[in-house]
């Protein structure tokens, strides 16, 4: 939006967070309560001269009149954020009600409203991707949308054509440096011979449905690999947080283990600590169900999320992975060293194993062993390598 003094109107789409992000309230009664709260708070945001209406239970359309600059729009958006900062209390329980907005400028009364709605929708989608309160439509929204759609289509094709591969990075015993397993990490081998690492495509995949078949494929492939490896070795597979809410994960895991005849305890599902920020009760239940199958659960990137002893006590996990950001600095920073030591002691007090990732040299490896860390992973031992080379290098 330009900063001129011309008085224009702004069309906005304001969306309430999915009900799963609001304490797990999903019954019809709860949806109605959240909708009414959403409605009441929005009435406190719009001005008398603005036009607005609810499109459905969680989306609201508004036309803000006489907005003369980007600064005025930012003030309006800031007020929207403040209104929804306070949680709603339902039956004594705080239910966070967060919103995201997308805006587009309406320069005259003859503007095609269908196009304006599409543009506001693109801005809303962009804001959700970047975890911002709001975004304003510009040409880059179209470009980003087009690029993302193309990448999703390429990933779907890559899955069908067998271009996705699992590489394996060894996990070793901290004291003896003997191989105890590996973490499976995805690589994309394109038709032109390029090998693409997950940091270039996994975020896009997780924002789209393609992440589901990619993850199910990874689990099945890892279990198939376990069937060829010695029975004392395990493989860890990363599972995106949103897929833990899918009941399909239970059938995928159980069917894979039964088809290949693999002992469940050899499969380790890694989930990030952030899964517990929202939906703690739901996530604890889902993790407990996975443990009932017999698979191991690992809490990845520990220390970077919102750790709380109140849920840590009851976490149905088997091991904790200390985030590499702490491990890599532990010999240079007393604070990072203290964090690493505290996590190891805490985990052991709860009878959990500890994995340190990001082990880059023998000095860090030795210090971690002194601290009684259980498992080490990092470039000091090996980088992620193709399955065939892994088997050759480690004589499997």
């Amino acid at each position: 939006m330009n900063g001129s003094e011309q008085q224009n109107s702004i069309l906005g789409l304001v969306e309430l967070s999915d009900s799963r992000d609001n304490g797990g309230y999903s019954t019809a009664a709860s949806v109605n309560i959240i909708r009414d709260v959403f409605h009441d708070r929005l009435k406190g945001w719009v001005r008398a001269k603005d036009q607005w209406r609810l499109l459905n239970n969680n989306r609201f359309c508004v036309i803000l009149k006489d907005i003369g600059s980007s600064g005025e729009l930012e003030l309006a958006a800031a007020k929207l954020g403040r209104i929804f900062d306070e949680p709603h209390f339902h039956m004594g329980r705080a239910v966070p009600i967060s919103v995201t907005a997308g805006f587009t400028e309406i320069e005259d009364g003859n503007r095609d409203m269908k196009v304006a709605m599409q543009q506001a929708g693109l801005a809303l989608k962009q804001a959700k991707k970047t975890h911002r309160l709001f975004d304003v439509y510009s040409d880059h929204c179209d470009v980003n949308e087009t690029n993302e759609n193309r990448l999703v289509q390429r990933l779907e094709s890559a899955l069908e054509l067998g271009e996705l591969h699992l590489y394996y990075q060894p996990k070793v015993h901290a004291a003896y440096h003997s191989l105890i397993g590996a973490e499976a990490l995805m690589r994309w081998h394109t038709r032109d011979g390029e090998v693409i690492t997950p940091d270039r495509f996994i975020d896009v995949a997780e924002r789209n449905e393609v992440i589901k078949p990619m993850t199910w494929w990874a689990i099945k492939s890892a279990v198939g690999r376990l069937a060829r490896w010695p029975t004392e070795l395990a493989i860890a597979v990363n599972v995106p947080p949103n897929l833990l809410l899918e009941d399909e994960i239970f059938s995928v895991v159980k069917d894979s283990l039964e088809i290949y005849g693999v002992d469940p305890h050899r499969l380790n599902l890694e989930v990030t600590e952030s899964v517990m920020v929202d939906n703690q009760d739901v996530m604890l239940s889902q993790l407990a169900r996975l443990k009932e199958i017999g698979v191991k659960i690992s809490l990845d990137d520990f220390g970077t999320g919102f750790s709380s002893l109140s849920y840590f006590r009851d976490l149905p996990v088997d091991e904790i992975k200390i985030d590499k950001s702490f491990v890599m600095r532990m010999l240079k920073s007393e604070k990072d060293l203290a964090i690493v030591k505290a996590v190891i002691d805490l985990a052991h007090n709860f009878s959990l194993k500890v994995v340190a990732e990001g082990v880059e040299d023998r000095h860090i490896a030795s210090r971690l062993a002194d601290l009684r860390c259980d498992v080490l992973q990092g470039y000091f031992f090996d980088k992620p390598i193709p399955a065939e080379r892994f088997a050759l290098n480690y004589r499997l």
Side-chain angles (χ1 to χ4, degrees), residues 11-15 55 59-62 100-103 116-118 120-121 124:
L11 183 141
L13 289 177
V14 182
E15 186 173 280
L55 300 179
R59 186 170 283 198
F60 160 90
C61 177
V62 61
T100 308
F103 299 107
M117 290 284 285
Q118 291 173 344
L124 173 62

Side-chain angles (χ1 to χ4, degrees), residues 14 37-46 52 54 59-60 80 83-84 99:
V14 182
V37 174
F38 184 43
H39 185 274
D40 290 342
R41 293 196 183 185
L42 286 170
K43 285 195 298 185
W45 177 56
V46 296
W52 64 282
L54 283 170
R59 186 170 283 198
F60 160 90
L80 176 68
I83 287 174
F84 283 90
V99 294

Side-chain angles (χ1 to χ4, degrees), residues 44-60:
W45 177 56
V46 296
R47 302 162 301 176
K49 61 182 176 181
D50 298 328
Q51 299 174 357
W52 64 282
R53 65 188 175 96
L54 283 170
L55 300 179
N56 53 42
N57 280 343
N58 72 333
R59 186 170 283 198
F60 160 90

Side-chain angles (χ1 to χ4, degrees), residues 312-379:
F312 185 86
R313 175 191 59 202
D314 301 316
L315 268 177
V317 301
D318 301 279
E319 70 177 27
I320 288 174
K321 294 189 74 173
I322 307 174
D323 187 71
K324 61 184 178 182
S325 62
F326 301 113
V327 174
M328 295 174 69
R329 296 194 303 256
M330 60 180 284
L331 298 186
K332 299 178 181 178
S333 166
E334 289 294 330
K335 290 183 178 179
D336 288 308
L337 178 60
I339 290 172
V340 171
K341 186 178 185 304
V343 171
I344 292 172
D345 292 341
L346 177 65
H348 285 168
N349 287 336
F350 284 91
S351 300
L352 302 176
K353 285 189 174 181
V354 182
V355 180
E357 56 182 350
V359 180
E360 300 285 312
D361 58 53
R362 63 184 179 86
H363 302 292
I364 293 177
S366 177
R367 189 72 179 98
L368 286 165
D370 292 341
L371 294 173
R372 298 186 303 116
C373 185
D374 301 290
V375 181
L376 307 181
Q377 179 182 345
Y379 276 34

Side-chain angles (χ1 to χ4, degrees), residues 195-243:
V195 179
I196 303 177
T197 53
D199 58 292
R200 292 174 55 187
F201 63 82
I202 205 69
D203 285 345
V204 170
E206 289 188 2
R207 291 196 295 267
N208 294 273
E209 282 296 309
V210 69
I211 191 61
K212 186 188 295 186
M214 287 172 63
T215 304
W216 298 165
W217 167 82
I219 291 173
K220 294 172 185 176
S221 298
V223 173
R225 185 62 54 183
L226 280 170
R228 306 179 194 179
W229 285 4
T231 56
E232 67 270 18
L233 299 182
I235 291 178
V237 180
N238 292 281
V239 178
N242 61 310
L243 293 187

Side-chain angles (χ1 to χ4, degrees), residues 8 21 76 124 147 161 201 226 273 295 311 325 327 329 347 386:
N8 296 318
D21 293 328
L124 173 62
N147 290 342
L161 297 172
F201 63 82
L226 280 170
E273 185 185 2
V295 301
Y311 79 78
S325 62
V327 174
R329 296 194 303 256

Side-chain angles (χ1 to χ4, degrees), residues 116-334:
M117 290 284 285
Q118 291 173 344
Q119 292 180 350
L122 287 174
L124 173 62
K125 187 173 182 180
Q126 184 68 21
K128 291 166 69 176
K129 288 177 185 177
T130 54
H131 305 289
R132 289 162 50 90
L133 171 61
F134 75 99
D135 210 332
V136 181
Y137 174 81
S138 65
D139 290 341
H140 84 273
C141 292
D142 281 325
V143 173
N144 289 345
E145 179 77 2
T146 300
N147 290 342
E148 179 160 317
N149 288 339
R150 286 175 180 168
L151 181 55
V152 169
Q153 291 172 1
R154 289 184 62 198
L155 284 171
E156 290 171 344
S157 296
L159 191 57
E160 293 176 2
L161 297 172
E163 295 178 359
L164 297 181
H165 298 259
L166 289 183
Y167 280 34
Y168 295 89
Q169 185 172 36
K171 297 169 73 172
V172 305
H173 191 285
Y176 306 111
H177 292 187
S178 55
L179 182 70
I180 63 171
E183 179 178 359
L185 298 161
M186 199 173 294
R187 296 291 185 269
W188 178 6
H189 288 220
T190 66
R191 280 167 284 184
D192 58 8
E194 185 181 7
V195 179
I196 303 177
T197 53
D199 58 292
R200 292 174 55 187
F201 63 82
I202 205 69
D203 285 345
V204 170
E206 289 188 2
R207 291 196 295 267
N208 294 273
E209 282 296 309
V210 69
I211 191 61
K212 186 188 295 186
M214 287 172 63
T215 304
W216 298 165
W217 167 82
I219 291 173
K220 294 172 185 176
S221 298
V223 173
R225 185 62 54 183
L226 280 170
R228 306 179 194 179
W229 285 4
T231 56
E232 67 270 18
L233 299 182
I235 291 178
V237 180
N238 292 281
V239 178
N242 61 310
L243 293 187
L244 288 174
L245 296 170
E246 299 273 352
D247 285 340
E248 189 178 353
I249 191 172
F250 303 106
S251 60
V252 170
V253 170
K254 287 192 290 187
D255 290 348
S256 300
L257 293 168
E258 290 175 4
I259 289 171
Y260 288 103
V262 171
D263 193 319
H265 82 272
R266 298 179 62 202
L267 177 63
N268 190 329
L269 299 181
E270 291 193 0
V271 299
T272 60
E273 185 185 2
S274 61
V275 302
M276 303 309 300
V277 175
D278 296 307
N279 292 316
Q280 288 190 18
D281 293 343
V282 175
M283 287 300 184
L284 287 171
S285 173
Q286 294 291 85
L287 293 176
R289 289 178 64 191
L290 286 169
K291 276 187 64 64
E292 288 175 3
I293 296 173
V295 301
K296 302 293 186 181
I297 305 295
S298 177
L299 198 61
D300 198 9
D301 299 333
F302 191 80
T304 62
F306 297 88
S307 309
S308 168
L309 290 177
S310 63
Y311 79 78
F312 185 86
R313 175 191 59 202
D314 301 316
L315 268 177
V317 301
D318 301 279
E319 70 177 27
I320 288 174
K321 294 189 74 173
I322 307 174
D323 187 71
K324 61 184 178 182
S325 62
F326 301 113
V327 174
M328 295 174 69
R329 296 194 303 256
M330 60 180 284
L331 298 186
K332 299 178 181 178
S333 166
E334 289 294 330

